[in-house]
């Protein structure tokens, strides 16, 4: 049975409420002075809700005593739901206290059914908040544990999807098998490759990065495997060491692997199978020990179907696949990343509630790279210490796109917006572009008191 504390100097009201609560399978605790009620709260941590009067002295109607009691309860348990018992003379004070965090107010005389319904709703919400706090604490603990156990290269994230990806990346890092990182451009595939390399047994060896997509096709093989003097026009009179040789005893990161030429794919397959290759223009076989991490934003299975990519090479590269979600798929990371990029500026700036909303609503087709560019530009152009939506200058989305986008504000955005609006629900809802009812549902979903 959930324990409900009643604090009212009128013993008749306490008795009536005790009987009402008992009839609905709730356990009432009564106190006729604020001091007695506060003592019960200190002694019993299982109290789930408080119903308190607004006045306790004879001939007092200001509600100041109730206000003092409310904040005293808040000091003992900041998350405890509090229902205010009010007369019409204290209505303005009650509304002010609801803005300060009281759960609700009920006028005297009260409606039994409405009061019980309010209590049950608050108890359910409180249970949900407790579960969410536990879940959030567990998620934070998991992030902290991962950061303590592995070198995460200062990656910034908050989402569960990234936590799952990083747990897998650090796990496979200990093995020397090839890893294929897939995901859209600008999402941070190179950062994931850095994390894999930093936690591998080869982390003390060379770490060579090659953007295959940026290499001219005529020079691609020479860049990767090296070339003898005069092997091709413009090769010069000196032999050239390739990236595989440079990475011997370490890790080679091949970005945009889907752009590798057909002949380059054959040679890469051989290196992966045997560790052997030949320089361009040479018949001498060379041997290296290299851990290959590759990345692509291409649809390699489709490239295999069209004959543009070798299936056997794909299976060699794809022993472990790490799929990096787009920024739009992990919207909880938008605000932490934006704040991180702002802190890198010479004069760190803040974001207005409107700017936070705009960042969260934007689809980010360019992913983390686009977000970084936007924040750097806004930091430079902002004349004050707060960046607003206009300074962000995010491109407007077509009407059809806006209709299809499902804007779901993160917990952090909800908390920041509510704080900036001093807890006024109507104003916060306007800032977020939603109705008050929609905002209430999201606050309850995230366990945010209001």
């Amino acid at each position: 049975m959930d324990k409900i504390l009643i604090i009212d100097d009128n013993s008749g009201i306490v008795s009536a409420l005790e009987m009402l609560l008992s009839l609905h399978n709730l356990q009432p605790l009564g106190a006729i002075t604020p001091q007695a009620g506060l003592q019960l709260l200190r002694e019993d941590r299982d109290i789930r809700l408080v119903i308190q009067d607004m006045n306790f002295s004879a001939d007092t109607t200001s509600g100041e005593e109730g206000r003092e009691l409310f904040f005293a309860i808040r000091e003992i348990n900041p998350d405890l739901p509090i229902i205010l018992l009010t007369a019409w003379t204290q209505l303005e004070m009650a509304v002010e206290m609801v803005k300060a965090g009281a759960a609700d107010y009920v006028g005297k005389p009260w409606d039994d059914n409405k009061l019980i319904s309010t209590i049950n709703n608050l108890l359910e919400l409180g249970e949900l908040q407790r579960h969410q706090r536990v879940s959030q604490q567990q998620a934070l603990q998991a992030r902290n544990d991962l950061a303590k156990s592995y070198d995460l290269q200062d990656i910034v994230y908050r989402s569960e999807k990234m936590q799952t990806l990083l747990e897998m990346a650090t796990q496979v890092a200990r093995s020397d098998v090839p890893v294929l990182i897939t995901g859209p451009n600008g999402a941070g595939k190179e950062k994931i490759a850095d994390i894999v390399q930093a936690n591998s047994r080869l982390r003390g060896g060379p770490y060579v990065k090659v953007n295959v997509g940026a290499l001219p096709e005529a020079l691609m093989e020479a860049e990767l495997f090296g070339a003898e003097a005069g092997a091709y026009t413009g090769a010069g009179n000196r032999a050239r060491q390739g990236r595989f040789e440079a990475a011997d005893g370490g890790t080679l990161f091949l970005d945009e692997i889907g752009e590798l030429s057909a002949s380059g794919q054959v040679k890469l397959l051989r290196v992966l199978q045997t560790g052997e290759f030949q320089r361009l223009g040479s018949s001498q076989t060379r041997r290296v020990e290299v851990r290959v991490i590759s990345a692509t934003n291409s649809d390699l299975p489709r490239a295999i179907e069209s004959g543009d990519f070798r299936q056997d090479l794909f299976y060699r590269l794809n022993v472990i696949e790490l799929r990096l979600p787009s920024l739009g798929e992990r919207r909880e990371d938008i605000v932490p990343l934006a704040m991180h990029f702002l802190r890198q500026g010479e004069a760190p700036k803040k974001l207005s509630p409107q700017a936070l909303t705009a960042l969260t609503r934007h689809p980010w087709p360019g992913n983390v790279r686009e977000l970084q560019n936007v924040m750097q530009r806004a930091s430079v152009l902002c004349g004050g210490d707060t960046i607003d939506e206009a300074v962000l200058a995010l491109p407007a989305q077509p009407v059809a796109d806006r209709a299809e986008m499902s804007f779901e504000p993160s917990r952090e955005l909800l908390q920041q917006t509510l704080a900036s609006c001093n807890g006024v629900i109507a104003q916060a809802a306007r800032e977020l572009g939603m109705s008050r009812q929609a905002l209430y549902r999201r606050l309850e979903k995230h366990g945010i008191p209001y």
Side-chain angles (χ1 to χ4, degrees):
M1 296 174 66
D2 290 312
K3 293 182 181 180
I4 311 296
L5 175 60
I6 306 160
I7 309 176
D8 196 301
D9 63 320
N10 188 324
S11 58
I13 288 179
V14 173
S15 298
L17 286 173
E18 286 178 336
M19 176 150 319
L20 175 64
L21 297 176
S22 299
L23 290 173
H24 289 84
N25 202 33
L26 298 168
Q27 182 179 348
L29 301 174
I32 59 173
T33 66
Q35 295 74 19
L38 294 173
Q39 185 61 32
L40 282 172
L41 275 177
R42 295 187 186 98
E43 295 173 352
D44 193 339
R45 307 301 291 185
D46 291 331
I47 292 173
R48 294 288 176 251
L49 184 143
V50 174
I51 302 174
Q52 69 151 86
D53 193 12
M54 294 291 291
N55 294 290
F56 294 91
S57 300
D59 301 324
T60 300
T61 60
S62 68
E64 282 297 330
E65 292 174 314
R67 187 176 185 277
E68 291 178 8
L69 174 59
F70 169 79
F71 286 107
I73 293 172
R74 273 281 176 267
E75 289 185 7
I76 297 173
N77 189 336
D79 300 321
L80 194 64
I82 301 173
I83 296 177
L84 309 172
L85 285 177
T86 68
W88 69 270
T89 52
Q90 297 108 38
L91 184 57
E92 185 175 341
M93 173 75 73
V95 172
E96 176 189 337
M97 290 167 63
V98 166
K99 291 180 180 179
D104 206 345
Y105 60 88
V106 176
K108 298 177 183 178
W110 61 83
D111 180 289
D112 286 353
N113 292 331
K114 181 180 178 181
L115 178 58
I116 291 299
S117 176
T118 299
I119 291 172
N120 286 333
N121 288 338
L122 290 172
L123 290 174
E124 289 178 10
L125 177 58
E127 187 65 24
L128 175 63
Q129 290 173 341
R130 282 190 290 277
H131 283 306
Q132 289 181 333
R133 279 195 296 272
V134 170
S135 177
Q136 289 161 4
Q137 290 169 356
Q138 290 174 342
L140 177 60
Q141 187 63 50
R143 292 198 298 271
N144 290 339
D145 289 345
L146 196 67
K148 288 178 182 177
S149 302
Y150 299 97
D151 180 359
L152 299 184
Q153 298 287 292
D154 297 322
I155 191 170
V156 176
Y157 72 99
R158 186 69 55 81
S159 64
E160 185 178 340
K161 288 184 177 180
M162 284 300 293
Q163 176 71 16
T164 301
L165 173 67
L166 291 173
E167 287 174 352
M168 186 175 181
T170 51
Q171 182 180 356
V172 303
R174 297 190 293 267
S175 170
D176 291 341
V177 298
V179 173
L180 176 64
I181 305 170
T182 59
N185 279 334
K189 296 187 290 296
E190 184 176 338
K191 175 67 81 171
I192 301 302
D194 293 346
I195 291 171
V196 173
Q197 188 275 338
N199 295 281
S200 71
R201 72 175 184 85
L202 301 173
R203 58 184 174 274
Y207 182 31
V208 179
K209 300 180 180 181
V210 185
N211 186 339
V212 178
L215 295 176
E217 186 172 350
L219 300 178
M220 191 176 294
E221 291 183 50
E223 287 287 336
L224 293 178
F225 307 107
E228 294 298 332
Y232 59 92
T233 302
N237 298 320
R238 298 177 61 184
R240 181 174 186 176
Q241 185 186 58
R243 305 298 177 90
F244 268 94
E245 288 180 81
D248 190 18
T251 303
L252 179 64
F253 174 53
L254 300 175
D255 199 5
E256 301 301 343
I257 191 65
E259 303 300 319
L260 189 60
S261 65
S263 58
Q265 291 178 36
V266 174
K267 287 192 174 184
L268 178 57
L269 179 61
R270 184 185 179 194
V271 176
L272 294 175
Q273 288 175 329
T274 66
E276 298 177 347
F277 68 97
Q278 293 175 344
R279 284 181 177 175
L280 196 64
S282 172
S283 60
Q284 179 186 350
T285 298
R286 301 174 185 272
R287 185 172 183 84
V288 291
E289 181 184 351
V290 174
R291 200 265 181 88
V292 174
I293 303 173
S294 52
T296 183
N297 69 326
S298 303
D299 186 343
L300 292 185
R302 180 172 295 180
I304 292 170
E305 291 179 4
S306 63
D308 294 326
F309 202 84
R310 293 180 63 100
Q311 186 176 47
D312 47 3
L313 176 58
F314 173 74
Y315 288 126
R316 281 285 179 179
L317 294 171
N318 195 29
V319 176
I320 298 291
E321 180 180 355
L322 299 176
R323 182 189 173 276
L324 179 59
S326 67
L327 188 56
E329 294 177 86
R330 47 187 177 102
R331 306 193 75 83
E332 306 96 312
D333 295 336
I334 294 173
V335 172
L337 282 167
M339 302 303 293
H340 168 71
F341 294 138
L342 283 181
R343 286 193 293 270
Q344 293 178 335
E346 295 182 2
K349 301 179 186 298
K350 298 181 295 184
L351 289 162
S352 71
Q354 298 89 338
L356 286 168
T357 301
L359 289 173
T360 310
R361 283 181 168 175
H362 188 64
W364 300 109
N367 294 289
V368 178
R369 187 179 297 132
E370 180 190 4
L371 175 60
Q372 182 177 17
N373 292 341
V374 167
M375 300 318 299
Q376 288 176 342
R377 182 183 67 240
S379 184
V380 171
L381 296 179
C382 178
D385 62 353
T386 301
I387 296 172
D388 60 22
E389 184 178 1
V391 176
L392 291 177
L394 294 173
Q397 297 301 308
V399 175
D401 289 350
R402 288 202 302 267
E404 292 171 5
M405 284 174 58
S406 56
F407 169 56
E408 190 58 39
S410 66
R411 176 184 174 83
E412 184 170 348
L413 176 59
L414 290 169
Q415 290 175 317
Q416 290 175 341
T417 305
L418 204 57
S420 69
C421 296
N422 297 317
V424 180
I425 295 293
Q427 183 180 345
R430 284 196 300 271
E431 298 287 0
L432 293 167
M434 61 179 64
S435 66
R436 283 180 295 176
Q437 291 76 14
L439 178 55
Y440 279 128
R441 288 196 298 271
R442 284 158 177 82
L443 294 174
E444 292 175 1
K445 173 185 173 182
H446 290 281
I448 301 173
Y450 55 88

